[in-house]
Amino acid sequence: MSALKESKIFNVKDLIAYFLVAGTGVIIQLISSSLIQDWFDISWSDSIVPSYIVGFIVGFILTKLFAFDARRTNQARREMVKFLMVAGVSLAITKMFTVGSFWLATDFFGMEIYTVKLPFAKKEVNLTEMGSYLIGMGFSFVSNYILHKTFTFKSTGFYNRLKVLIR
């Protein structure tokens, strides 16, 4: 057996399931980002947070049901609090690496901004922004997988300690 299959964090079944769930989240986030830009006439970088929130809601449901075999844990409230905490970290990672990689490509390396007109789209798609967004999501994917696997959908005692602090 390979070390990847034997690892408790990186087992193949969970990794594939999470990749499929996260891929669905990426598609939802990209579509909602584009719609939010159009509806509210905001920049692509300003659409990251609201589209992330849309993806967060769908992501929690799909992750709980399909990714980590947590559909029958009866811990939805606990998992949602933890999921929200991980989502906050993930949002910061997504925003930082998206904006950072765009700056690095365009300002630091002087790369041109590339756009393409798709036959079914009303406006041009900025490939440089899209690539930067995918880089941010990629870094977020890795951190999310590890944090959800080791924290969100695992009983760590954290939620009970948090409830005591809040009361």
Side-chain angles (χ1 to χ4, degrees):
M1 233 183 217
S2 72
L4 185 65
K5 279 188 176 181
E6 292 174 9
S7 170
K8 290 185 179 190
I9 293 176
F10 293 106
N11 76 59
V12 175
K13 178 186 167 211
D14 285 350
L15 197 55
I16 291 171
Y18 188 73
F19 181 80
L20 293 173
V21 166
T24 303
V26 165
I27 291 168
I28 289 169
Q29 197 169 341
L30 290 173
I31 291 170
S32 64
S33 175
S34 181
L35 292 173
I36 289 167
Q37 287 175 55
D38 288 346
W39 292 341
F40 299 105
D41 195 29
I42 60 174
S43 71
W44 70 277
S45 63
D46 290 337
S47 73
I48 292 171
V49 172
S51 65
Y52 188 87
I53 293 169
V54 172
F56 163 80
I57 295 165
V58 174
F60 175 76
I61 295 165
L62 293 177
T63 302
K64 178 159 176 64
L65 293 176
F66 300 112
F68 297 120
D69 199 26
R71 74 181 69 117
R72 288 190 248 14
T73 62
N74 295 323
Q75 305 286 327
R77 180 179 291 158
R78 173 178 309 199
E79 292 163 350
M80 189 171 288
V81 168
K82 290 177 171 183
F83 197 92
L84 184 60
M85 294 170 71
V86 170
V89 171
S90 177
L91 175 58
I93 289 170
T94 301
K95 181 85 174 184
M96 179 178 67
F97 280 98
T98 298
V99 174
S101 64
F102 184 80
W103 173 84
L104 196 62
T106 58
D107 293 346
F108 188 77
F109 290 118
M111 199 173 122
E112 289 185 40
I113 294 177
Y114 295 99
T115 60
V116 65
K117 175 77 170 129
L118 299 175
F120 54 85
K122 291 182 181 179
K123 64 179 186 176
E124 289 185 332
V125 175
N126 186 319
L127 297 177
T128 310
E129 291 173 352
M130 179 73 68
S132 296
Y133 205 0
L134 290 173
I135 288 169
M137 288 178 177
F139 278 95
S140 176
F141 171 84
V142 173
S143 68
N144 275 348
Y145 176 81
I146 293 169
L147 288 171
H148 287 319
K149 179 81 173 170
T150 61
F151 177 69
T152 306
F153 295 104
K154 182 177 182 182
S155 181
T156 61
F158 177 82
Y159 182 74
N160 291 331
R161 290 190 300 270
L162 182 64
K163 281 183 5 186
V164 169
L165 283 174
I166 292 174
R167 287 184 185 168

